[in-house]
């Protein structure tokens, strides 16, 4: 689909190139994206870059050989005119990619596509947003990349968030008990000082530890969600549906999607 869109200069059933990109972005922002959307954005990023490299250099067949190397020997290969189009609009494409980085990273994390989540979150870190930072750390936790988390902690110099960075490193290394103790202290020892970023990451890490240690979510994790919701500044971060999705991400997978949706609804009611 991405290669077809690039070959058509992003003119699709949505309309012009601008309308096509806007439709994909709107789906992501309004929560309508799926795992296919994550794959599509990743493929578009690769195709944008490859098409922009189609530069005529010589009068022999070398340029056509380069096209084959970039795109393979499929029937419909992009022309040099398409390469010119994407070179001229490279800034527009890059700006669009940057605008969807965080929603794609969030969607990838939600669907356990952790490598994709890391890629898009890392690309968003230049904007220094809390959501991008959260996904970059949490996806690395899932991948067991403790050194990557430590590197982010050093680079960002977030002293107030050090407690959950420490917990994240421990979880990534499989040290769940010390991480769990750190999280309980950080989240609930002085709950009014917990930042939205700390609440979001702390809750996710707490759910991960609870799952690994065999704790009962309804007894050991959900009460923490309820306590955090009492802090007005954290209401949005620990909104019941969002908290339920966090718990679901780390719980044992159900037999089918219907059971998963029912579990999320139950946790949402309990957290509320």
């Amino acid at each position: 689909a991405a290669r077809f869109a690039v070959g058509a200069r992003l003119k699709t059933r949505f309309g012009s190139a601008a309308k096509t990109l806007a439709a994909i972005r709107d789906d992501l922002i309004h929560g309508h994206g799926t795992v296919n959307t994550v794959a599509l954005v990743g493929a578009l990023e690769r195709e944008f870059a490859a098409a922009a490299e189609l530069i005529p250099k010589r009068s022999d067949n070398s340029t056509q050989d380069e096209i084959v190397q970039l795109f393979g020997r499929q029937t419909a290969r992009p022309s040099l005119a398409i390469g010119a189009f994407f070179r001229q609009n490279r800034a527009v494409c890059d700006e669009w990619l940057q605008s969807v980085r965080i929603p794609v990273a969030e969607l990838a994390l939600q669907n356990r596509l952790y490598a994709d989540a890391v890629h898009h979150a890392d690309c968003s870190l230049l904007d220094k947003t809390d959501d991008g930072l959260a996904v970059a750390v949490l996806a690395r936790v899932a991948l067991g990349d403790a050194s990557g988390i430590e590197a982010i902690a050093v680079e960002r110099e977030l002293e107030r968030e050090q407690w959950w960075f420490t917990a994240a490193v421990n979880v990534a290394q499989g040290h769940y008990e010390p991480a769990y103790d750190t999280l309980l202290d950080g989240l609930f020892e002085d709950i009014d000082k917990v930042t939205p970023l700390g609440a979001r990451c702390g809750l996710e890490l707490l759910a991960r530890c609870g799952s690994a240690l065999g704790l009962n979510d309804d007894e050991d994790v959900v009460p923490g969600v309820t306590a955090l919701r009492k802090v007005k500044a954290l209401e949005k971060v620990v909104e019941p549906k969002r908290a339920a999705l966090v718990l679901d991400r780390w719980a044992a997978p159900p037999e089918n999607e219907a059971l998963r949706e029912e579990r999320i609804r139950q946790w949402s009611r309990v957290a509320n």
Side-chain angles (χ1 to χ4, degrees), residues 97-203:
L97 281 169
Q98 200 63 18
S99 73
V100 300
R101 291 294 188 192
I102 291 177
V104 172
E106 294 272 16
L107 183 60
L109 181 67
Q110 180 180 325
N111 287 280
R112 300 181 174 89
L113 302 172
Y114 300 120
D116 289 310
V118 166
H119 169 69
H120 292 292
D122 282 358
C123 290
S124 77
L125 287 181
L126 292 175
D127 295 335
K128 296 186 176 181
T129 64
D130 283 354
D131 286 336
L133 176 61
V135 176
V137 172
L138 294 172
R140 281 181 166 83
V141 168
L143 294 171
D145 182 12
S147 60
I149 298 169
E150 291 173 331
I152 293 174
V154 171
E155 181 181 346
R156 295 297 292 266
E157 298 180 346
L158 296 176
E159 293 182 4
R160 289 185 63 190
E161 314 296 344
Q162 191 59 49
W163 61 272
W164 68 260
F165 265 113
T166 300
V169 171
N170 278 329
V171 174
Q173 294 173 333
H175 303 152
Y176 299 110
E177 291 187 3
Y180 191 73
D181 292 340
T182 299
L183 291 165
L184 290 179
D185 290 343
L187 285 169
F188 307 117
E189 190 174 79
D190 194 350
I191 199 169
D192 290 324
K193 292 185 178 180
V194 177
T195 65
L197 177 61
R200 179 194 171 169
C201 293
L203 170 62

Side-chain angles (χ1 to χ4, degrees), residues 14 24 67 87 129 133 175 196 214 240 252 270:
F14 298 110
I24 299 171
I67 295 176
R87 285 196 302 279
T129 64
L133 176 61
H175 303 152
V270 172

